[in-house]
Amino acid sequence: MGESKSQKSVEVNAENFSECCSCSCKNIKTILAKYGSDRVRLMDILIDIQTNVGCISKESVKEIAENLNISKVDVEQTLSFYHFFSEKPTGKYAIYLNDSAVANMMGRSDIAKALEEEVGCKFGSVTEDCQIGLFDTACIGMNDQEPSAIINQRVFTNLTKEKVKLIVNGIKNNFDVNDIQIEGYCQATHKLITSNVCSNIKKEGPILTKDMKVGDALKKVILMDPNDVIELVKQSNLRGRGGAGFPTGMKWQFCRAFKDEKHYIFCNADEGEPGTFKDRVILTERPELLFEGMAIAGYSIGSDEGILYLRYEYKYLQNYLEDVLSTLREQNLLGKDIGGKAGLNFDIRIQFGGGAYVCGEESALIESAEGKRGEPRDRPPFPVEKGYLQKPTVVNNVETLCAVTKIIHQGPKWYRSLGTLDSTGSKVMSISGDCDNPGIYEIEWGFTVNDILEMVGAKDVQAVQVGGPSGSCIASNEFKRKLAYEDLATGGSMIIIGKHRDLIKDIVMNFTDFFIEESCGSCVPCRAMTVQFKNKLEKIYRGNGVQEDIDQMLEWGKVMKMNRCGLGHTAANPILTTLKNFRELYTAKLQKTDYVSEFNLEEAVQESCAAAGRIPNLGGDHE
Amino acid sequence: MNKIKIRINDIVCRGEKGQTVLEIAKDNGIYIPTLCNYEGIKPQGSCRICTCMIGGRMMTACTTPALDGMDIVTNSDELEKFRATIVELLFAEGNHFCPTCERSGNCELQALGYRYKMMVPQFPYSFAAKDIDADNPKIMIDHNRCILCKRCIRRKKEKDNPNWFVFKKRGAKVQINIDHELTADFTDKLAQQAMDTCPVGAIIRKEKGFDVPIGERKYDKNPIGSDIEGLKE
Ligand SMILES: Cc1cc2nc3c(=O)[nH]c(=O)nc-3n(C[C@H](O)[C@H](O)[C@H](O)COP(=O)(O)O)c2cc1C
Ligand code: SF4
Ligand code: SF4
């Protein structure tokens, strides 16, 4: 497939770059030493170099390869997989403007234009003085405060043309991004959080309410037999909140049953599903609850090492979360001899990603944490048997692990009293799009879509995207359905789409592009069919489609089930669920004949005729 | 007790614990088409063409360990249609001009095209601009023909030394990347091995070719899978 236009302009600029911009990393030896020249820590090494100098040059690749004793192409393999790593300089200030569907709904194109004007270069390129780069990026988890951008790890939300002026002005005056002051931004939760991101909590439930003392649940657990802890989690009927809904207690039991010298517990904070931002808010407001949950999980499965896999977009939380971890260590809730129990050790480190949605898939996440490209593994074996470094590993979502802490603290019976019979407890929902009060709502399972629409002040709703692009786009006839595993299951997000939107263009096309960009590229249908879908969609949208095109797409949809992982399984869902629920939008664009040529001869020869000063002769009647 | 029994297409098949579904099927004369699989190297289900219904679920035969009592369907109309679609997707994604390809007649993709009686893919050709990497003294990598099966990558990975072949980028932009320094002193033997590993004409030896004339090549004589299906008699 050809390179996209925007990428070409990076390259054009990068050519000039080699003369005027250097991106050699002088600290590379220190960085390599910091990670013990361990091949497994390649992600950390690349992240440190990228954040240090804004790119990872050929020389750096060479030095890394020699130091880690791997081939250069192996380093390039990892480097080229992740969105935020770049072989070409990205500028002293790299501006990544969110390109998600909701960002576009909230006026992204005006902000993009303003940025290009103020900065003086196009998206996908860097200014000639190598100072500022402009890039697109997939959903950064700020859907309730779009348009937003990340600049050198700081997130700027609710962008307006005026704010763009202020920011670019600050940059041009060589300010540190963290020193750029903008009025009217909400106050950060903690002084170590430098971004003014709002948590926007609109409704609190068991997880978001601060009603327990940090460590109480863990102290209770360490007096129990690990099997009994697992039993409690099983009794609560807790199911994974990362989307798949696997029973948490059972997962732990499986993992514990695989005897090995080491077990690992991962917290999945990749949160790449566009429209989802609940884990960001939990991490900001309740990190202790999460870390305690990880320690409880560690105790239960017999693990002394936990890893929080955090998406690169949330790097602005790093110092804050590290600080929380050290406080927990001081309180003896992490580290050695936890709670005074001799020999009970458990600690947590943070592993950042590099910008790849597929790394939210648990086996891809593990591959990534091992320093490789984030390609999902074949299953079996499952991670509970052979996970991180081939050791038994549990991967759980942020919210799942928080729920565990509360379940231990207040008992499974209490937890079962919330929600429905099959879906116990609460669900933290990310709500965004066309409504008065976007933000975070922690509800009990069993609320209907209508309940939520009313709660968030949504009027004139055309469609609701439940569970992000990989979920489904539903119409009003389904708004009475209940959010529950047994009815309308969701990983935790709803995007509300008003009647005034062009559903196919604003939503379906954006999501389809997202999957093309984010596929790991391994499976044939996931890599190639997504592109065919897009071309077909564009053909119909242009008005060149016929009924057969729709029939074909429905057939192609079935083939997507052949893919290896959930990304491929769901990559056609934006098209398939709108074909199911909004068929009239497609049929309205169809030609009423059996065949229309995709090729327009008149259009095709226009340019050359203009150049030659001729009138096109299209066969037909001669003049 | 290492012997196991599984049912494939309602036929009872015997095999051993530790074998994959694909291996047992083959031993019992049942051909399941593959592209990314290569005997002797660790399977990785990336082409997805060997997908079967295993215990009611779609799973790749090359990576799934057979378990006693498994019930498997390999050849339903739907599965065969899906396989044909994958072959067509690959033809549309790359630039496969068989008449000028040294691999014609020995190519697994072309052979599967014949098996599925593909006249023209249902998808428009992409005609994507792809390069040929001819920097290595012994081999050429023709990205136009590469089906990204990773056989070249995995063949190398078995051993402990650095990777010569790897993937680069992701999604529709993914491509094979070869380490030119490490492969600069490729021997003829290694070059031949690399070419043999490739199912299509994407790895081609330089200054060597057409040892076997077109018309007398592997699949010119016997359609793909016939060696396995022939066992039935
Ligand atoms: C493409 C893809 C992306 C995913 N992204 C996430 C994610 O961002 N966060 C998450 O917790 N789970 C994600 N999952 C689900 C995980 O694979 C896994 O099921 C989950 O982390 C298990 O945790 P749980 O049992 O607590 O839900 C994703 C799955 C797929 C296929
Ligand atoms: S389905 Fe897509 S993302 Fe998942 S492994 Fe296959 S190619 Fe990669
Ligand atoms: S070069 Fe050949 S063996 Fe390697 S991935 Fe491409 S098609 Fe497969």
Side-chain angles (χ1 to χ4, degrees), chain A residues 64 162 169 257 318 351 445 448 529 538 592 607 617:
Chain A
I64 298 168
E162 292 68 40
N169 197 31
Q318 182 175 17
Q351 170 69 62
W445 285 106
T448 66
M529 190 72 101
E538 284 180 343
K592 304 287 174 281
E607 206 178 324
N617 177 355

PDB file of all heavy atoms in Angstrom, chain A residues 64 162 169 257 318 351 445 448 529 538 592 607 617:
ATOM      1  N   ILE A  64      22.217   0.594  20.013  1.00  0.00           N
ATOM      2  CA  ILE A  64      21.331  -0.268  20.797  1.00  0.00           C
ATOM      3  C   ILE A  64      21.563  -1.727  20.409  1.00  0.00           C
ATOM      4  O   ILE A  64      21.715  -2.605  21.259  1.00  0.00           O
ATOM      5  CB  ILE A  64      19.838   0.080  20.564  1.00  0.00           C
ATOM      6  CG1 ILE A  64      19.537   1.513  21.006  1.00  0.00           C
ATOM      7  CG2 ILE A  64      18.932  -0.890  21.305  1.00  0.00           C
ATOM      8  CD1 ILE A  64      18.177   2.028  20.554  1.00  0.00           C
ATOM      9  N   GLU A 162      -7.840  30.458  20.260  1.00  0.00           N
ATOM     10  CA  GLU A 162      -7.109  31.351  21.163  1.00  0.00           C
ATOM     11  C   GLU A 162      -6.056  30.581  21.948  1.00  0.00           C
ATOM     12  O   GLU A 162      -4.915  31.026  22.092  1.00  0.00           O
ATOM     13  CB  GLU A 162      -8.079  32.040  22.143  1.00  0.00           C
ATOM     14  CG  GLU A 162      -9.031  33.037  21.507  1.00  0.00           C
ATOM     15  CD  GLU A 162     -10.069  32.390  20.596  1.00  0.00           C
ATOM     16  OE1 GLU A 162     -10.581  31.293  20.963  1.00  0.00           O
ATOM     17  OE2 GLU A 162     -10.350  32.941  19.517  1.00  0.00           O
ATOM     18  N   ASN A 169       2.665  30.399  20.872  1.00  0.00           N
ATOM     19  CA  ASN A 169       3.465  31.549  21.277  1.00  0.00           C
ATOM     20  C   ASN A 169       4.479  31.140  22.359  1.00  0.00           C
ATOM     21  O   ASN A 169       5.664  31.486  22.289  1.00  0.00           O
ATOM     22  CB  ASN A 169       2.525  32.651  21.794  1.00  0.00           C
ATOM     23  CG  ASN A 169       3.210  33.977  21.838  1.00  0.00           C
ATOM     24  OD1 ASN A 169       4.098  34.224  21.019  1.00  0.00           O
ATOM     25  ND2 ASN A 169       2.824  34.819  22.791  1.00  0.00           N
ATOM     26  N   ALA A 257      -2.700 -22.425  39.371  1.00  0.00           N
ATOM     27  CA  ALA A 257      -2.537 -23.874  39.211  1.00  0.00           C
ATOM     28  C   ALA A 257      -1.295 -24.233  38.393  1.00  0.00           C
ATOM     29  O   ALA A 257      -0.785 -25.345  38.498  1.00  0.00           O
ATOM     30  CB  ALA A 257      -3.783 -24.455  38.561  1.00  0.00           C
ATOM     31  N   GLN A 318       3.061   9.784  34.983  1.00  0.00           N
ATOM     32  CA  GLN A 318       4.175   8.971  35.465  1.00  0.00           C
ATOM     33  C   GLN A 318       4.690   9.393  36.852  1.00  0.00           C
ATOM     34  O   GLN A 318       4.754   8.584  37.779  1.00  0.00           O
ATOM     35  CB  GLN A 318       5.324   8.996  34.461  1.00  0.00           C
ATOM     36  CG  GLN A 318       6.505   8.114  34.883  1.00  0.00           C
ATOM     37  CD  GLN A 318       7.588   8.052  33.807  1.00  0.00           C
ATOM     38  OE1 GLN A 318       7.621   8.883  32.891  1.00  0.00           O
ATOM     39  NE2 GLN A 318       8.469   7.078  33.901  1.00  0.00           N
ATOM     40  N   GLN A 351       5.323  -0.025  33.085  1.00  0.00           N
ATOM     41  CA  GLN A 351       5.854  -0.245  31.742  1.00  0.00           C
ATOM     42  C   GLN A 351       5.030   0.592  30.771  1.00  0.00           C
ATOM     43  O   GLN A 351       3.817   0.405  30.679  1.00  0.00           O
ATOM     44  CB  GLN A 351       5.725  -1.724  31.377  1.00  0.00           C
ATOM     45  CG  GLN A 351       6.025  -2.057  29.921  1.00  0.00           C
ATOM     46  CD  GLN A 351       7.497  -1.882  29.606  1.00  0.00           C
ATOM     47  OE1 GLN A 351       8.338  -2.564  30.178  1.00  0.00           O
ATOM     48  NE2 GLN A 351       7.817  -0.942  28.720  1.00  0.00           N
ATOM     49  N   TRP A 445     -24.660  -2.135  36.945  1.00  0.00           N
ATOM     50  CA  TRP A 445     -25.084  -2.865  35.750  1.00  0.00           C
ATOM     51  C   TRP A 445     -26.599  -2.931  35.745  1.00  0.00           C
ATOM     52  O   TRP A 445     -27.226  -3.039  36.805  1.00  0.00           O
ATOM     53  CB  TRP A 445     -24.528  -4.286  35.769  1.00  0.00           C
ATOM     54  CG  TRP A 445     -23.076  -4.411  35.461  1.00  0.00           C
ATOM     55  CD1 TRP A 445     -22.083  -4.672  36.346  1.00  0.00           C
ATOM     56  CD2 TRP A 445     -22.447  -4.321  34.185  1.00  0.00           C
ATOM     57  NE1 TRP A 445     -20.875  -4.749  35.714  1.00  0.00           N
ATOM     58  CE2 TRP A 445     -21.063  -4.542  34.382  1.00  0.00           C
ATOM     59  CE3 TRP A 445     -22.909  -4.068  32.890  1.00  0.00           C
ATOM     60  CZ2 TRP A 445     -20.142  -4.522  33.346  1.00  0.00           C
ATOM     61  CZ3 TRP A 445     -21.969  -4.057  31.850  1.00  0.00           C
ATOM     62  CH2 TRP A 445     -20.615  -4.271  32.079  1.00  0.00           C
ATOM     63  N   THR A 448     -30.452   1.101  31.567  1.00  0.00           N
ATOM     64  CA  THR A 448     -30.699   1.016  30.124  1.00  0.00           C
ATOM     65  C   THR A 448     -29.987   2.171  29.421  1.00  0.00           C
ATOM     66  O   THR A 448     -29.566   3.137  30.064  1.00  0.00           O
ATOM     67  CB  THR A 448     -32.205   1.118  29.788  1.00  0.00           C
ATOM     68  OG1 THR A 448     -32.647   2.432  30.149  1.00  0.00           O
ATOM     69  CG2 THR A 448     -33.010   0.063  30.529  1.00  0.00           C
ATOM     70  N   MET A 529      -8.289  -7.062   4.199  1.00  0.00           N
ATOM     71  CA  MET A 529      -9.733  -6.877   4.005  1.00  0.00           C
ATOM     72  C   MET A 529     -10.185  -5.516   4.502  1.00  0.00           C
ATOM     73  O   MET A 529     -11.082  -4.901   3.920  1.00  0.00           O
ATOM     74  CB  MET A 529     -10.500  -7.986   4.715  1.00  0.00           C
ATOM     75  CG  MET A 529     -11.966  -8.012   4.378  1.00  0.00           C
ATOM     76  SD  MET A 529     -12.271  -8.594   2.711  1.00  0.00           S
ATOM     77  CE  MET A 529     -12.752 -10.282   3.061  1.00  0.00           C
ATOM     78  N   GLU A 538     -15.976   3.958   0.497  1.00  0.00           N
ATOM     79  CA  GLU A 538     -15.797   5.224  -0.220  1.00  0.00           C
ATOM     80  C   GLU A 538     -16.545   5.216  -1.546  1.00  0.00           C
ATOM     81  O   GLU A 538     -17.120   6.220  -1.944  1.00  0.00           O
ATOM     82  CB  GLU A 538     -14.305   5.488  -0.454  1.00  0.00           C
ATOM     83  CG  GLU A 538     -13.639   5.966   0.824  1.00  0.00           C
ATOM     84  CD  GLU A 538     -12.159   6.248   0.656  1.00  0.00           C
ATOM     85  OE1 GLU A 538     -11.573   5.785  -0.346  1.00  0.00           O
ATOM     86  OE2 GLU A 538     -11.597   6.905   1.552  1.00  0.00           O
ATOM     87  N   LYS A 592     -29.529   2.905  -8.808  1.00  0.00           N
ATOM     88  CA  LYS A 592     -30.609   1.931  -8.917  1.00  0.00           C
ATOM     89  C   LYS A 592     -30.381   0.932 -10.056  1.00  0.00           C
ATOM     90  O   LYS A 592     -31.276   0.257 -10.499  1.00  0.00           O
ATOM     91  CB  LYS A 592     -31.956   2.643  -9.090  1.00  0.00           C
ATOM     92  CG  LYS A 592     -32.275   3.646  -7.978  1.00  0.00           C
ATOM     93  CD  LYS A 592     -32.639   2.965  -6.654  1.00  0.00           C
ATOM     94  CE  LYS A 592     -32.803   3.962  -5.518  1.00  0.00           C
ATOM     95  NZ  LYS A 592     -31.499   4.427  -4.943  1.00  0.00           N
ATOM     96  N   GLU A 607      -6.982  16.420 -16.086  1.00  0.00           N
ATOM     97  CA  GLU A 607      -5.721  17.088 -15.796  1.00  0.00           C
ATOM     98  C   GLU A 607      -4.809  17.113 -17.029  1.00  0.00           C
ATOM     99  O   GLU A 607      -4.249  18.155 -17.382  1.00  0.00           O
ATOM    100  CB  GLU A 607      -5.038  16.361 -14.641  1.00  0.00           C
ATOM    101  CG  GLU A 607      -4.104  17.256 -13.840  1.00  0.00           C
ATOM    102  CD  GLU A 607      -3.499  16.483 -12.670  1.00  0.00           C
ATOM    103  OE1 GLU A 607      -4.206  15.636 -12.093  1.00  0.00           O
ATOM    104  OE2 GLU A 607      -2.319  16.705 -12.382  1.00  0.00           O
ATOM    105  N   ASN A 617     -11.701  13.893 -25.733  1.00  0.00           N
ATOM    106  CA  ASN A 617     -12.476  13.139 -26.703  1.00  0.00           C
ATOM    107  C   ASN A 617     -12.794  11.792 -26.075  1.00  0.00           C
ATOM    108  O   ASN A 617     -11.924  10.950 -25.925  1.00  0.00           O
ATOM    109  CB  ASN A 617     -11.629  12.964 -27.972  1.00  0.00           C
ATOM    110  CG  ASN A 617     -12.360  12.117 -28.999  1.00  0.00           C
ATOM    111  OD1 ASN A 617     -13.443  11.598 -28.734  1.00  0.00           O
ATOM    112  ND2 ASN A 617     -11.763  11.997 -30.164  1.00  0.00           N
TER     113      ASN A 617
END
